[in-house]
Amino acid sequence: MKKLLLLFTLLFSFSVATMAVDYAKEVLDKAASTIKSAGDVKIGFTLTADGSSSDGYIKLKGQKFVMNVGGTITWFDGKTMWSYVKQNEEVNVTTPTATEVAKMNPYAFLSFYKKGYTAKKGNPTRKEYEVILTGNDASHYKKVVIRVNRFSNIPSYISITSQKDNVTTINCNSFQKNQKYTDDTFKFNKKNYPNVEVVDLR
């Protein structure tokens, strides 16, 4: 009897864990698919970190993006990344790894459940799904919480906890689809910043 009870408990636990992963996969896959099918998009958001908040936006075209928030603009054309800090009047040019790109693009978290993170169902509401991603010791982040609007399948909130317990939150304020961006949108143009020092770190 005890063996049967133990077996039932193990099967039930496995079933619950599987459902949690399936839930997270379905929610995040739908969100990623919605953004992908929306064509070129512009997402407005409010980023909060270290007790201060800044409004910003990110423009997406496939794997390319440009993000402007808190006096920093980052361009990524699929290969090269330019990071401009207005306060320093300096642009750093790098060839980032896939992980480094993911750290800069908040919407890359939609695929994090696939590697290095354990996904589970959070506390959904009538308006939002919630997925909690818990990283292992080798992960860049300890925890990522993603909330997705049930009706639009657009991420509405992302909370990122670093391994040092620093928390950054992103609240989505607007979502504009079917924008028309040229490839130059995602490249730094020196003509627009004539006084900026370019530091090539490649």
Side-chain angles (χ1 to χ4, degrees):
M1 186 70 176
K2 289 183 178 179
K3 290 183 178 179
L4 286 174
L5 182 60
L6 177 60
L7 179 61
F8 175 79
T9 301
L10 290 173
L11 288 174
F12 177 76
S13 299
F14 177 76
S15 176
V16 170
T18 301
M19 287 192 304
V21 172
D22 288 346
Y23 170 92
K25 183 178 185 301
E26 182 178 358
V27 169
L28 299 182
D29 280 354
K30 280 186 177 180
S33 177
T34 298
I35 292 176
K36 184 178 180 180
S37 64
D40 300 354
V41 301
K42 180 179 180 180
I43 303 169
F45 60 83
T46 300
L47 184 147
T48 301
D50 300 323
S52 61
S53 298
S54 299
D55 291 331
Y57 65 80
I58 184 169
K59 296 178 180 179
L60 299 169
K61 182 184 179 75
Q63 297 300 314
K64 303 172 184 179
F65 70 87
V66 56
M67 184 167 60
N68 187 335
V69 61
T72 299
I73 306 175
T74 303
W75 296 264
F76 180 66
D77 67 356
K79 179 182 178 181
T80 303
M81 182 177 288
W82 297 263
S83 298
Y84 165 60
V85 180
K86 185 176 181 180
Q87 183 178 358
N88 300 338
E89 285 297 304
E90 181 179 282
V91 170
N92 291 326
V93 187
T94 60
T95 303
T97 63
T99 300
E100 290 170 336
V101 172
K103 288 176 68 177
M104 293 302 300
N105 180 355
Y107 291 88
F109 293 118
L110 297 177
S111 62
F112 266 33
Y113 72 90
K114 297 178 181 178
K115 185 177 180 180
Y117 291 81
T118 301
K120 70 176 184 179
K121 183 178 181 179
N123 297 307
T125 66
R126 291 182 179 180
K127 294 183 178 181
E128 296 175 317
Y129 301 109
E130 184 176 87
V131 173
I132 299 175
L133 305 176
T134 303
N136 55 39
D137 292 339
S139 303
H140 285 282
Y141 304 105
K142 181 181 290 186
K143 183 172 73 172
V144 179
V145 179
I146 302 172
R147 295 175 190 159
V148 177
N149 186 288
R150 286 180 179 269
F151 308 102
S152 67
N153 287 317
I154 298 299
S156 54
Y157 170 91
I158 301 172
S159 172
I160 306 159
T161 302
S162 72
Q163 293 290 0
K164 295 183 179 181
D165 291 322
N166 296 316
V167 179
T168 300
T169 62
I170 300 167
N171 286 279
C172 177
N173 302 322
S174 63
F175 184 87
Q176 301 174 46
K177 61 182 182 178
N178 296 322
Q179 304 295 295
K180 301 296 181 182
Y181 301 132
T182 66
D183 289 342
D184 288 340
T185 301
F186 307 97
K187 297 179 180 180
F188 170 74
N189 189 335
K190 185 69 168 66
K191 293 180 180 179
N192 296 332
Y193 302 87
N195 299 320
V196 166
E197 179 184 359
V198 178
V199 181
D200 197 331
L201 302 175
R202 290 172 293 182

